[in-house]
Amino acid sequence: MPLRRFSRPAVETFIDIERPNTCDKQPEQGYRSIGCFYAAISQGIKTLCDDSVFEQARKTRGHCQISGEEYYGGAGKLFAVTDKASALKAIEEIVHQGEGVSENILNETVCEHADKTLEPESIDDGDTLADGWKMYSHYVRFREIQFGRRYLPTQKITDTPAGDIIPIDWSEVYPTVTNPQAADYKGTDIEPAVDNFNGTYTQLIDNIYAAFNGEKSDVAQSEPAGMRKAVTVMWELKYQAIALMKTPSPLAMHQGETVGAPFEYLR
């Protein structure tokens, strides 16, 4: 999957990833969709994880749970995974947030989905953000972006969206290089900024890893820790990425394009 600017090909790639599929067979190589990936995880939990697995995890990894106190600003729920039931519930929660819906949605209307807010195959999980925006499945949202229109309530998901227009100007996008790499900018004036971005990205990944391995936030601490620290670094990464997306590439082979953010983890 290429790292590229917002474009029709990029949206089509995400549609392929999110496309609803029936996952009745174990794949020999990869998964047909992200839905099949989550279905395989659920099946693995059911098949391989007996009570002893979770009992051992509670003893050795119980302190690694991220609590609801460290989650804010989004829809959905955050809860501890302590047994098989809560593990399966966590996968369902991910699906409800729009990841990996079943192909059962394809023959139903948007209105019918909205009435099925508690079922995993629904495109509408019943959650809303603070501004009242409904959390539809990623597949449906990408389809609306692809065609520049919302779905009408009576339309099926297989239909071309024909509702309100979504204003999209594909030309108003920073012309970033596809698959930017730090190595391409060695010896150029932009090298320090690219390296700094990758350093911040590495810090973000390391902070998330630490948070999921027991490092907790404490509001009494002078410095943030755990997931709160990761969120702070995430914002820093955002501003660095925007700066690189605005910076013209100094390379002749990328004339007329901007540098973009490489997202390379520094080992």
Side-chain angles (χ1 to χ4, degrees):
M1 177 180 173
L3 179 60
R4 57 168 30 131
R5 73 192 72 161
F6 175 69
S7 60
R8 293 185 186 277
V11 172
E12 289 167 2
T13 296
F14 283 114
I15 288 174
D16 285 339
I17 293 172
E18 298 284 354
R19 192 178 305 279
N21 275 314
T22 295
C23 312
D24 52 358
K25 293 182 179 180
Q26 181 70 22
E28 294 182 0
Q29 292 184 339
Y31 298 91
R32 287 178 292 169
S33 70
I34 197 167
C36 291
F37 172 70
Y38 283 117
I41 293 177
S42 291
Q43 187 58 46
I45 293 172
K46 294 174 183 177
T47 305
L48 303 174
C49 298
D50 57 23
D51 292 341
S52 65
V53 172
F54 292 98
E55 181 180 358
Q56 181 65 20
R58 286 193 294 270
K59 294 178 180 178
T60 61
R61 303 282 298 173
H63 66 290
C64 298
Q65 298 281 345
I66 302 297
S67 69
E69 296 176 353
E70 299 193 72
Y71 176 75
Y72 61 92
K77 305 175 184 66
L78 196 65
F79 51 85
V81 173
T82 57
D83 52 23
K84 182 180 291 189
S86 57
L88 293 172
K89 183 180 178 183
I91 299 299
E92 288 183 5
E93 180 70 16
I94 293 172
V95 174
H96 284 165
Q97 292 305 306
E99 296 277 6
V101 290
S102 163
E103 71 173 2
N104 294 337
I105 75 167
L106 297 178
N107 292 319
E108 298 179 348
T109 67
V110 172
C111 186
E112 288 171 335
H113 289 307
D115 290 336
K116 295 171 59 181
T117 57
L118 298 181
E119 297 190 24
E121 64 267 21
S122 173
I123 67 161
D124 179 355
D125 68 355
D127 264 322
T128 59
L129 295 178
D131 60 2
W133 191 78
K134 300 286 285 185
M135 297 293 286
Y136 294 110
S137 75
H138 297 169
Y139 176 73
V140 171
R141 279 183 270 172
F142 280 124
R143 287 265 294 170
E144 290 183 328
I145 293 172
Q146 181 184 34
F147 292 100
R149 284 185 177 273
R150 301 288 186 191
Y151 277 99
L152 293 170
T154 55
Q155 284 192 283
K156 292 185 177 181
I157 306 308
T158 50
D159 296 337
T160 299
D164 292 343
I165 292 175
I166 302 175
I168 299 175
D169 188 342
W170 300 95
S171 65
E172 288 296 314
V173 178
Y174 293 120
T176 56
V177 171
T178 299
N179 293 328
Q181 299 180 49
D184 293 339
Y185 297 99
K186 290 294 183 183
T188 69
D189 292 341
I190 201 64
E191 179 183 359
V194 173
D195 288 344
N196 188 44
F197 175 87
N198 282 338
T200 304
Y201 175 66
T202 300
Q203 184 183 358
L204 174 63
I205 299 301
D206 289 346
N207 288 160
I208 293 174
Y209 180 84
F212 281 102
N213 280 275
E215 183 179 287
K216 300 298 181 184
S217 297
D218 186 346
V219 293
Q221 294 175 337
S222 58
E223 294 292 332
M227 193 57 71
R228 292 180 185 272
K229 184 177 182 180
V231 171
T232 300
V233 177
M234 180 186 68
W235 282 103
E236 182 180 350
L237 187 73
K238 171 187 174 180
Y239 296 126
Q240 291 178 7
I242 292 174
L244 288 174
M245 288 190 292
K246 293 180 177 180
T247 303
S249 174
L251 305 179
M253 63 179 177
H254 295 315
Q255 188 174 8
E257 295 182 295
T258 58
V259 175
F263 291 97
E264 295 171 327
Y265 184 81
L266 305 178
R267 298 184 182 277

